[in-house]
Amino acid sequence: MVSTVDFITPPVDEPIWFGRIAAANALSDIYAMGGRPVTALNLLMVPEKKLGTEMIAEILKGGHEKVTEAGASLAGGHSTDNPEPVFGLCVTGVVSPSQILANSGARPGDALILTKPLGTGVLFNACRSGRLPRSRLDPVLPQVAALNGPAMEIAMKFNVHACTDITGFAMVGHALEIARGSGVMLELDYSALPIYPHALDMYARGETTGSNRANRELVAGRLDVAARLPAAQEQLLFDPQTSGGLLLAVPADQAEALVRALRGAGIEQAAVVGRARSGGPAGVRVV
C-alpha cells in the first residue's frame, strides 16, 4: 500500500479546472510509484465567504471527476477557512511489492522518456498577468488535467528502472533526484523536450514564476548546461510544473517501442528526451 498528500493553489480562475488539475496532480504520485489509486480524501482550504458554495462545489466536482476516472473512491475529506484557495487530495493506492517504482534505479545506457510537455508554470503566470489571453490555454488544460495512469499502465509492460513525475522542482530538479538516487549522469537533449505552445514566448517576453530561481539554486553545482541556449529557453529547464508528466528510465532497446505504445494510446507528445550515462559525479547535463 502507498499513500500521498498533494495540493495546489489555483492555476486558473475556473473552479472546475482547478479541481481537475489539483486531483490529477495528487493522483500522479501514486502512479509514479507504479501503484493504482484506491481511495482519496479531499483537502480543501478556501475563503468561503468570498468564493461561495457554488464555486466550492465546482472545485469539488472537478476533483471528483478525476478520482472517478482513476477508478478510485472518494471517501470524504476535510475543509477549513483560508485566505487563499488551496485544494488537493490525500490518496491511498496499492502496488505489488515486486513492482514498486522509485526515483532511483536508472542504469547507464537507459533511455529517458517524458510523457507530457513542459511550461505550465510560466503559462499560468502569464495568464494571470494578462500577457497570455485565457483562450490560449484552452488546448493546454486537458493535457495538464490528464491522468498519468494510462501512461503508467503502458509503461509497466516494459522494464522501467526508475520513475518520477515532473512537478514543482521542474524538469532538471526531478531529473537530479533520479540521477543522485541512481548514481548516474542524466543527459537531457534539449531539442527533444516537448514544450507547451507559447511557453517559450512568454519567457522571451519577460514572464517568469516565483519558483524558477529556487529551482535553479536547487541544482547548482549538479547541472551542466552544455547546450548554447537563449535565456528564455534555459528558463524552461527551471519551470515548475503542475500535474506534469512522468519521467521514465527504461532500457534503450525498449524506448522506441514504449514511445510508440504511448502515442498509440493518445499520449501524443511522449518522447525520448535523454539517456543515463556512467562516469563522473551524479548530476544532470543538458546538450
Side-chain angles (χ1 to χ4, degrees), residues 44-65:
L44 179 67
M45 295 173 277
V46 291
E48 185 176 353
K49 292 181 180 179
K50 290 183 180 180
L51 289 189
T53 56
E54 186 173 328
M55 292 186 71
I56 293 171
E58 284 290 288
I59 295 172
L60 296 175
K61 178 182 177 183
H64 184 256
E65 286 179 0

Side-chain angles (χ1 to χ4, degrees), residues 256-279:
E256 289 187 12
L258 175 50
V259 169
R260 282 197 302 270
L262 290 167
R263 292 179 177 177
I267 306 165
E268 297 176 357
Q269 293 190 276
V272 177
V273 298
R275 60 210 59 83
R277 296 195 181 281
S278 59

